[in-house]
């Protein structure tokens, strides 16, 4: 990489980071206000708590603060609360505490000092927070560190789920994001590894029956919504053709050994994500959804490259077909596909919402939907931010890859936005 | 096999699939119906959470395989003559970290759940204890809660009023003990999987959110010698159809339910004895908003209730449940007899004719129908029932408009009396008629329609100071009044429905639908 590239990269990255922060902040504000304006709340359910209990719950989650104060404390994690003489939580204040102020914790779990008219709400002193960040479990005197709550998302604390009382949103992300990627990445690979050769072959055989077949097959997957594709594939593979596949894979080829009591092949991945069979259906559903666009884009890219002067020259030179393909057609040919990789992240994320719901996969998309229907404010904000960051980050990477693949863009000094 | 590609595929697939499908011995795979929100027994509310808590914690009294109440962490108890003071003798047993379980742990636990700062959403169940309600609502102090560890082995609990169901209540997760020494050291983080200390038969060993939660046998459990399973994995699958598929594939040994509707008939053919349909402690009903006309008129309410053909609903619309004419289900314990209204003895044609007569007398006919709105929480099952009832009511000159909302908003509306007729359901917290009858009384936040009958209220009030047969008779008299006045329209009694593998032993269908894993074993 040249020096100019480095400078370009730094400036570009800086600019993008700034944009990213603004987008995240706007998104947070939008989610924060809309969900609170929506009817219902996180403590509703089949059996909503009686008013006395509801009051305790609202205090526990700072929902008795004013809206701006709630948003501020979500971002920076600093809300204080007075303790009344009886020991019950009283009026809430919206203030920043000195970083090492003595704090008694709320939650009925730690002894409270009786003379305290001071602050209760557990919050997050920088010192302890840093300690935790670097894995400390005890303080200098060997006592376990107290619960760190309300550090604010600025310190990476997405808060406590409001519906699932003991789960931190960070826990959801820790378990959910890898699960989402576990299905998103194979789907993308499936679509790319199948779609690009199909597109190139279609371009090579332009306007011949093969071209028509490739494009039709690809488009079929794209036109069919994931929502329809998922149950359709379950119906076909797990029920209609299960007997045939069972005969083929288990009895004839002996590829698969069935477990005790197992009457069918393990097509449906709900919960258990062990075997390779569990990847088949989600990958097919999500992958075919992308296939059509990739076939069409790589076909277009390849056609443009094939028509170009340099390919004509290469042909005229008498270079063998595979050399022309790999040296002259491949890179420019997949350029349109690479461009598409930016919006594709958003397509995959939304697709994940559907396949995770359809196959009961433990991903972040499913938590996102659950959070929205449960009015789990903190979980919804957390998952929104994470999914948003994933899309933005991947867009950024795609932009860089694009400028690397296409020299014209680099030379123009990064004019693309 | 000549093709090398096929060979590689063969090896790879065999390895991966075998690893995925292999059943570890002694591991029970349970469809749990939902993702637990906490392992802290004081912070949970769902059946999918209490099923896990039940395996991890041993309460004063606990359930045998068939749901009978048996001594757990308490060896025995005695009750004072006035029925107010319960004295428990704590069994010699340990927390999973080796610390003995003492009466002090129970005192701490009961006070902790009532602490307003704990903000436990089910704390109100412990209002049975004297001083509990005032402490929880921020008026009294913790010291006023009448629960006291006399010594390490003796726990004394004083109730606010006699409650013969108190022993049954101790089997509910709100009364589970938490380890005082751990909670004091770690605060709310005590219940995280890496920190948790339990006194039950199993202890959490793995939890991946959305995937599964596994508990493994606790070797320090006092009765560990009689626990057969090595581990239990709970799968948080919400869709009944997914559970069914997994059961078919042999990946689940027990499901939390079966798909709704008439799928049940096909499943009965397919699975035979592996399908369990059992009366369950609760009732599906429609609440009438008695604060507005015409629902404040017992005649109108009765006519509407009468016109509902419950047999049609329980055979065609929501099969597998039992037609209900009383609010208290017949599976209630304690010798209570349910009190259906007098018209329950008539045939459906007679009921409909009578209801039609009532509505005509009030001036409503097919041409000039009474307009009502049914609120229900969004769900295909509720919609089907509401549609069927609309049809039935059309016959008696009532035009129905349906209105559905998500579950939270729906129940908010019910609590605020912003409805005319609202779907609701109630599963008892403890098997005592009081738990249901209170819903038609003046003090319950779940008396959605604000049904208010002085005679009923007086009887209910009186039952709190009575014991034995006298108390049962008073409660029966109260229910008879409320049912005759159609305080609400019971539609069906819930049944629990499970698919349970034939090789799962010690899983016994019971009215509380509680199945502690300590009694379960797997046969080959």
């Amino acid at each position: 990489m040249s020096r100019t590239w480095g400078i370009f990269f730094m400036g570009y990255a800086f600019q993008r980071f700034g944009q990213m922060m603004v987008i995240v902040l706007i998104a947070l504000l939008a989610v924060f206000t809309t969900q609170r304006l929506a009817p219902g709340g996180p403590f509703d359910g089949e059996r909503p708590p009686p008013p006395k209990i509801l009051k305790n719950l609202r205090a526990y989650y700072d929902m008795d603060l004013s809206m701006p104060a709630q948003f501020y404390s979500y971002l920076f994690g600093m809300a204080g609360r007075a303790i009344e003489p009886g020991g019950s939580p009283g009026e809430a204040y919206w203030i920043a505490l000195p970083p090492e102020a003595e704090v008694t914790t709320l939650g009925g779990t730690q002894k409270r000092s009786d003379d305290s008219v001071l602050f209760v709400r557990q919050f997050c002193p920088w010192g302890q927070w840093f300690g935790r960040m670097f894995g400390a479990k005890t303080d200098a005197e060997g006592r376990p560190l107290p619960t760190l709550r309300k550090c604010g998302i600025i310190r990476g604390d997405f808060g406590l789920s409001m519906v699932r009382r003991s789960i931190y949103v960070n826990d959801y992300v820790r378990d959910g994001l890898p699960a989402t990627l576990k299905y998103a990445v194979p789907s993308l690979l499936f679509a790319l590894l199948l779609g690009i050769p199909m597109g190139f072959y279609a371009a090579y055989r332009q306007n011949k029956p093969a071209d028509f077949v490739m494009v039709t097959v690809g488009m079929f997957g794209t036109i069919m919504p994931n929502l329809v594709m998922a149950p359709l594939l379950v119906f076909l593979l797990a029920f209609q053709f299960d007997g045939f596949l069972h005969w083929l894979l288990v009895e004839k080829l002996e590829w698969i050994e069935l477990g005790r009591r197992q009457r069918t092949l393990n097509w449906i991945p709900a919960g258990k994500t062990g075997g390779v069979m569990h990847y088949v259906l989600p990958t097919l559903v999500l992958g075919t959804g992308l296939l059509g666009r990739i076939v069409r884009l790589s076909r277009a890219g390849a056609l443009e490259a094939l028509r170009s002067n340099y390919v004509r020259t290469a042909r005229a030179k008498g270079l063998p077909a595979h050399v022309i393909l790999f040296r002259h057609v491949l890179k420019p040919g997949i350029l349109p596909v690479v461009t598409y990789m930016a919006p594709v992240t958003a397509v995959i994320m939304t697709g994940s919402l559907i396949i995770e719901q359809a196959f009961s996969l433990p991903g972040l998309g499913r938590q996102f939907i659950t959070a929205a229907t449960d009015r789990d404010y903190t979980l919804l904000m957390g998952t929104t931010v994470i999914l948003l960051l994933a899309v933005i980050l991947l867009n950024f990477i795609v932009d860089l890859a694009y400028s690397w693949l296409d020299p014209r863009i680099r030379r123009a000094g990064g004019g693309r936005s | 096999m000549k093709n090398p590609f096929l060979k590689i595929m063969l090896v790879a697939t065999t390895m991966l699939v075998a690893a995925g499908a292999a059943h570890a011995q002694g591991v029970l795979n349970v469809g749990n119906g939902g993702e637990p929100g906490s392992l802290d027994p004081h912070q949970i509310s769902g059946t999918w959470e209490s099923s896990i808590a039940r395996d991890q914690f041993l309460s004063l009294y606990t359930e045998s395989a068939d749901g009978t109440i048996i001594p757990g962490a308490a060896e025995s108890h005695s009750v004072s003559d006035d029925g107010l003071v319960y004295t428990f003798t704590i069994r010699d047993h340990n927390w999973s970290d080796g610390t003995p379980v003492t009466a002090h742990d129970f005192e701490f636990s009961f006070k902790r759940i009532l602490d307003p700062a704990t903000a436990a959403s089910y704390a109100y169940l412990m209002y049975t204890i004297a001083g509990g309600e005032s402490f929880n609502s921020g008026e009294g102090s913790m010291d006023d809660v009448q629960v006291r560890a006399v010594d390490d082995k003796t726990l004394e609990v004083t109730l606010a009023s006699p409650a013969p169901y108190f022993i049954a209540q101790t089997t509910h997760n709100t009364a589970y003990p938490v380890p005082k020494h751990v909670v004091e050291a770690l605060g709310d983080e005590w219940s995280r999987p890496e920190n948790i200390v339990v006194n039950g038969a199993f202890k959490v060993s793995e939890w991946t959110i959305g995937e599964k939660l596994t508990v493994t046998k606790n070797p320090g459990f006092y009765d560990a010698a009689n626990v057969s399973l090595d581990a239990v994995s709970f799968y948080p699958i919400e869709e009944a159809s997914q559970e069914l598929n997994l059961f078919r594939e042999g990946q689940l040994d027990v499901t939390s339910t079966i798909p709704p509707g008439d799928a049940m008939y096909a499943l009965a053919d397919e699975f035979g004895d592996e399908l369990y349909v059992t009366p369950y402690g609760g009732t599906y009903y429609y609440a009438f908003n008695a604060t507005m006309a015409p629902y404040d008129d017992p005649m109108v309410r009765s006519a509407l209730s009468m016109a509902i053909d419950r047999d049609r609903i329980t055979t065609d619309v929501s099969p597998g449940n039992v037609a209900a004419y009383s609010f208290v289900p017949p599976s209630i314990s304690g010798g209570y007899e349910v009190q259906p209204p007098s018209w329950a003895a008539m045939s459906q044609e007679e009921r409909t004719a009578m209801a039609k007569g009532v509505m005509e007398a009030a001036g409503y006919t097919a041409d000039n129908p009474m307009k009502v709105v049914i609120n229900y929480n969004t769900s295909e099952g509720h919609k089907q029932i509401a549609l069927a009832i609309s049809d039935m009511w059309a016959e008696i000159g009532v035009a129905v408009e349906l209105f559905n909302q998500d579950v939270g908003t729906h129940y908010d509306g019910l609590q605020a009396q912003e409805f005319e007729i609202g779907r609701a359901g109630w599963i008892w917290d403890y098997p005592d008629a009081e738990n249901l009858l209170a819903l038609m009384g003046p003090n319950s936040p779940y008396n959605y329609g604000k049904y208010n009958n002085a005679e009923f209220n007086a009887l209910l009030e009186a039952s709190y100071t009575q014991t034995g047969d006298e108390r049962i008779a008073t409660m029966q008299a109260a229910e008879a009044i409320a049912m005759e006045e159609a305080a609400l329209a019971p539609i069906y009694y819930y049944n629990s429905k499970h698919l349970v593998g034939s090789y799962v032993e010690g899983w016994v269908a019971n009215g509380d639908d509680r199945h502690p894993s300590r009694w379960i074993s797997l046969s080959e």
Side-chain angles (χ1 to χ4, degrees), chain A residues 52-53 56 86-89 107-108 112, chain B residues 42-43 106-147 157-158 166 174-176:
Chain A
K52 286 170 189 169
I53 305 269
N56 295 337
S88 51
R112 300 193 213 94
Chain B
H42 296 168
Q43 301 292 17
F106 281 94
E107 181 188 335
F108 173 79
S109 304
F110 289 6
K111 288 180 172 170
R112 175 178 183 257
I113 191 172
L114 286 165
D115 190 334
T118 307
S121 49
Y122 258 53
Y124 62 89
L125 280 181
M126 296 297 269
Y127 288 178
T128 330
I129 299 173
E133 181 164 7
S134 63
F135 176 46
N136 189 242
S137 33
E139 289 149 21
S141 86
M142 184 186 277
D143 299 332
D144 298 336
V145 179
Q146 295 297 305
V147 48
V157 183
T158 308
F166 183 62
T174 45
Y176 286 6

Side-chain angles (χ1 to χ4, degrees), chain A residues 40-370:
Chain A
F43 312 123
D44 302 334
E46 280 277 343
R47 214 177 273 197
K52 286 170 189 169
I53 305 269
L54 195 63
K55 188 177 142 245
N56 295 337
L57 276 169
R58 291 179 60 84
Y60 189 83
Y61 283 104
D62 277 346
M63 283 183 55
D64 50 354
L65 293 170
S66 70
M67 288 260 279
Q70 285 182 45
F71 190 63
Y72 180 88
S73 96
Y74 179 76
L75 291 182
F76 302 104
M78 294 179 194
R81 183 178 295 276
I83 278 197
E84 283 168 351
S88 51
E91 196 184 340
Y93 294 98
W94 168 32
I95 42 166
L97 296 178
E100 298 301 333
E102 192 176 336
V103 172
T104 15
T105 55
L106 193 65
T109 52
Q110 308 223 345
K111 271 245 174 320
R112 300 193 213 94
S113 42
D114 288 333
D115 55 336
S116 58
V117 193
L118 245 121
F119 307 105
V120 234
R121 186 47 66 148
Q122 288 150 318
F123 87 119
C124 187
W126 279 102
Q128 281 182 11
W129 179 77
F130 270 119
R132 283 246 153 169
M133 281 293 285
F134 296 104
K137 289 243 156 57
T138 51
D139 64 8
E141 282 138 53
R143 289 171 306 198
L145 282 176
T147 317
L148 284 184
R149 268 198 58 205
K150 303 200 63 67
C151 290
I153 68 163
I154 197 152
R155 283 185 280 191
D157 175 16
F158 289 94
L160 196 57
S161 159
M162 288 181 142
V163 175
R164 310 247 154 87
R165 267 296 286 276
S166 299
I167 307 184
Y168 293 89
V169 176
N170 294 39
D171 293 341
Y172 280 114
V173 176
R174 182 200 62 209
D175 289 352
L177 195 58
T180 296
L181 294 179
K182 218 158 81 177
Y183 291 94
V185 171
S187 311
L188 185 58
L189 287 179
F190 169 82
L192 287 177
L193 293 181
L194 195 64
I196 293 175
M198 276 171 72
F200 276 43
Y201 189 70
Y204 182 62
R205 297 253 155 199
Q206 194 195 358
N207 297 335
K208 301 225 168 68
D211 180 19
F212 178 73
V213 169
M214 294 293 154
V215 174
T216 312
V217 167
M219 284 319 285
F220 178 75
T222 303
I223 292 165
M224 188 77 94
N226 289 344
L227 210 57
V228 178
M229 199 69 163
L232 185 71
L233 282 180
V234 168
F235 175 70
L236 287 179
L237 288 184
F239 295 105
Q240 286 308 103
F241 297 129
D242 188 66
F244 168 72
L245 293 166
H246 189 277
W247 169 81
L248 184 76
L249 298 174
V250 180
E251 288 164 31
K252 187 77 180 158
L253 299 174
E254 295 180 4
W255 283 13
I256 295 171
E257 209 176 299
L258 291 191
R260 178 177 74 154
R261 188 194 160 74
Q262 196 180 331
R263 298 171 218 181
T264 58
L265 303 169
N266 282 336
W267 289 111
I268 298 153
K272 300 205 173 191
T273 50
V276 73
M277 299 297 280
H278 288 162
Y279 284 89
V280 174
L281 292 183
T283 306
L284 277 180
V285 173
L286 204 51
T288 50
L290 302 171
L291 195 62
R293 293 295 292 274
I294 290 176
V295 169
R296 267 188 32 189
L297 289 169
S298 55
R299 179 177 174 272
L303 276 179
E304 196 189 323
L306 284 172
R307 283 196 207 104
S308 68
N309 293 332
Y310 54 84
V311 170
R312 200 183 310 142
T313 314
R315 273 198 181 136
K317 273 202 298 189
L319 283 179
H322 67 271
V323 175
I324 296 178
L325 178 67
F326 284 104
R327 192 173 297 164
H328 299 292
V329 180
L330 190 62
K331 251 173 93 171
I334 60 171
L335 256 183
V337 179
V338 173
T339 327
Y340 179 56
M341 287 302 104
V344 92
T345 52
V347 175
I348 287 188
M349 289 298 164
T350 47
S352 296
L353 302 189
I354 289 159
I355 64 156
E356 283 168 16
Q357 201 70 22
F359 296 111
S360 295
L361 301 177
L364 208 54
R366 188 151 159 244
Q367 306 299 359
F368 178 81
I369 292 180
T370 315

Side-chain angles (χ1 to χ4, degrees), chain B residues 208-259:
Chain B
T208 308
I209 296 167
E211 191 166 338
K212 69 172 169 180
L213 184 148
T214 303
V215 296
T216 44
K217 187 175 170 178
N218 169 16
F221 179 58
Y222 88 94
D223 197 21
N226 293 317
V227 176
S228 164
L229 293 173
D230 298 323
V232 184
S233 288
F234 296 93
Y235 292 86
I237 304 157
E238 284 161 21
E239 302 79 12
S241 56
Q242 292 280 7
E243 276 197 336
L244 173 62
N245 290 336
L246 287 171
F247 185 79
R248 281 204 180 105
E249 293 192 350
Q251 298 190 58
L252 283 185
D253 305 316
V254 179
T255 68
S256 70
T257 183
I258 60 169

